[in-house]
Amino acid sequence: MKLYLDTANIGWIRKLNQMGLVDGVTTNPTLVSKEPGEFEEIIKTICREVNGPVSAEVVSTDHDGMVSEAKQLSRLATNVVVKIPVIPEGLKATKTVSSLGVPVNVTLVFSANQGLLAAKAGASYISPFIGRLDDIGQRGMEVVEDLVAIKKNYGLKAQVLVGSIRHPQHVLEAAKIGADISTMPPDIMEKMMQHPLTDSGLKRFLDDWEKAKRAKPSITV
Ligand code: E4P
């Protein structure tokens, strides 16, 4: 499964990209609004840093406005993916934008039927929002299960991009189901690295090494 960062923070992206962990980045208007600087410059900087798709979202809600924004965004870098909401005008824009050869990530997907329509309209990525469904008492991961099954049944090309991830368990579940991509806030990726037994195990190794060095001065690092 590919791992994306769901952030517009270049510091976090650089830090985790140096470990070879970042296959791509997703942003949205809320995430970009938290960062200093101008929208297009932020997207260009992320696109230069990451060797993979970077989703940038339109804010128009009508077909023509979305298509015009999509054209503008696609000129920022070759790895830009245009993010479009799964509303009727958004599906129409997805058809237009994807037929221009610009990849589209259809976002704000909360049901498998919405995802199916997005794939039909030409989306390259379908983004179900898991955490927000969990928040209202539904099992978000069920939408991922359904989309992965539908994709397999019909050989759909669109990739299932699991968003609104709240904890490492969501990433693990998405991987077991066979989702193509999980996008997560940077702190979730950091949490995936951590285990208390790794820390205590390393401490014990280093303590034992120090003790041995004192007892047997011939040991060197
Ligand atoms: C995905 O593309 C979205 O940007 C994101 O995952 C939304 O997550 P949230 O529910 O934490 O805002």
Side-chain angles (χ1 to χ4, degrees), residues 18 21 25 38 62 80-81 84 87 95 99 101 119 129-131 134 150 158-159 185 188 219:
Q18 280 165 0
L21 303 176
V25 170
E38 197 256 328
D62 64 296
V80 164
V81 170
I84 296 181
I87 54 175
K95 180 178 185 300
S99 61
F129 279 26
I130 300 316
D134 288 356
I150 293 167
Q159 300 192 56
I188 304 291
I219 292 183

Side-chain angles (χ1 to χ4, degrees), residues 207-220:
D207 289 349
D208 289 345
W209 190 257
E210 282 305 313
K211 271 188 242 154
K213 255 183 12 185
R214 281 195 295 275
K216 296 185 272 182
S218 58
I219 292 183
T220 50

Side-chain angles (χ1 to χ4, degrees), residues 173-193:
E173 281 174 48
K176 282 160 75 177
I177 293 165
D180 299 287
I181 307 159
S182 278
T183 188
M184 68 206 77
D187 65 303
I188 304 291
M189 197 177 272
E190 279 211 318
K191 282 183 190 152
M192 287 169 67
M193 297 173 204

Side-chain angles (χ1 to χ4, degrees), residues 32 35-45:
V32 173
E35 303 303 325
E38 197 256 328
F39 174 48
E40 293 194 351
E41 283 311 311
I42 292 173
I43 298 299
K44 279 203 261 184
T45 307

Side-chain angles (χ1 to χ4, degrees), residues 24 93 97 110 115 121 143 159 161 179-180 194 205 214:
V97 173
F110 291 97
V143 180
Q159 300 192 56
L161 197 172
D180 299 287
Q194 294 159 2
F205 285 155
R214 281 195 295 275

Side-chain angles (χ1 to χ4, degrees), residues 22-205:
V22 183
D23 296 311
V25 170
T26 49
T27 68
N28 62 42
T30 303
L31 293 171
V32 173
S33 71
K34 289 180 188 163
E35 303 303 325
E38 197 256 328
F39 174 48
E40 293 194 351
E41 283 311 311
I42 292 173
I43 298 299
K44 279 203 261 184
T45 307
I46 298 172
C47 286
R48 276 195 298 270
E49 174 66 29
V50 175
N51 189 18
V54 174
S55 287
E57 189 159 342
V58 299
V59 289
S60 298
T61 52
D62 64 296
H63 169 269
D64 293 356
M66 289 187 212
V67 172
S68 152
E69 278 187 62
K71 286 181 181 165
Q72 176 80 12
L73 289 170
S74 71
R75 282 194 281 267
L76 296 179
T78 52
N79 52 340
V80 164
V81 170
V82 177
K83 217 171 170 188
I84 296 181
V86 66
I87 54 175
E89 286 290 292
L91 291 173
K92 195 170 145 192
T94 297
K95 180 178 185 300
T96 307
V97 173
S98 62
S99 61
L100 294 172
V102 175
V104 176
N105 173 359
V106 173
T107 190
L108 288 167
V109 168
F110 291 97
S111 75
N113 272 339
Q114 287 179 318
L116 177 58
L117 296 179
K120 194 95 182 161
S124 297
Y125 304 87
I126 306 165
S127 287
F129 279 26
I130 300 316
R132 293 192 196 186
L133 280 168
D134 288 356
D135 289 346
I136 60 159
Q138 290 186 28
R139 203 172 71 81
M141 211 47 84
E142 199 175 311
V143 180
V144 178
E145 288 165 2
D146 290 348
L147 283 172
V148 169
I150 293 167
K151 184 179 154 143
K152 197 171 158 211
N153 285 350
Y154 299 105
L156 301 180
K157 288 200 189 79
Q159 300 192 56
V160 179
L161 197 172
V162 183
S164 190
I165 281 180
R166 300 273 198 262
H167 45 71
Q169 196 62 26
H170 272 154
V171 183
L172 184 60
E173 281 174 48
K176 282 160 75 177
I177 293 165
D180 299 287
I181 307 159
S182 278
T183 188
M184 68 206 77
D187 65 303
I188 304 291
M189 197 177 272
E190 279 211 318
K191 282 183 190 152
M192 287 169 67
M193 297 173 204
Q194 294 159 2
H195 198 288
L197 290 179
T198 303
D199 298 336
S200 59
L202 179 60
K203 184 175 180 318
R204 196 195 302 171
F205 285 155

